[in-house]
Amino acid sequence: MIEAGGAPAADPRIDAVLALCDAAHDEVRRLGAVQDEARMQDIIDRLHALAQVYADAPTVPKALAGVLFDLSTALYSAAGTTDEVRCKAAFAWFDEFCDAARGVLN
């Protein structure tokens, strides 16, 4: 389904991704690390699924781009503010998340 201007019509899967990303962002900002690894993996899996939806679209919803940016910066910031073990884990999540987000945004 395509809206005027060539953008895909609203996709209910986006609401779930937005909520998950917001929760993960709050967690990472508050605790300085990913605590709920299952949620992060769920986000990444959902982003891979959304990448197919937006593969040929000229744009993505602004809210989706916003939460992807927010969570990526939170993950990156967390890596620089913690011990070496948590830093490596944060960068691993950052890399995996960014790969999935790029799939949606490219």
Side-chain angles (χ1 to χ4, degrees):
M1 221 181 313
I2 303 294
E3 293 180 349
D11 187 325
R13 294 175 287 185
I14 291 175
D15 290 338
V17 171
L18 296 178
L20 287 166
C21 285
D22 281 339
H25 175 264
D26 292 345
E27 173 184 281
V28 171
R29 296 289 295 172
R30 185 172 33 88
L31 302 173
V34 170
Q35 296 294 313
D36 189 339
E37 293 185 1
R39 178 177 49 212
M40 268 312 289
Q41 191 59 56
D42 189 23
I43 291 169
I44 290 164
D45 293 343
R46 288 171 187 255
L47 289 177
H48 286 301
L50 283 177
Q52 297 171 10
V53 173
Y54 291 101
D56 296 324
T59 64
V60 299
K62 186 176 179 179
L64 178 59
V67 296
L68 297 179
F69 176 79
D70 288 345
L71 185 50
S72 68
T73 57
L75 289 166
Y76 187 83
S77 296
T81 60
T82 189
D83 61 70
E84 186 176 344
V85 172
R86 288 173 62 167
C87 177
K88 285 182 180 181
F91 274 129
W93 281 117
F94 173 75
D95 288 342
E96 194 170 346
F97 174 79
C98 286
D99 285 344
R102 269 188 224 97
V104 175
L105 298 173
N106 286 333

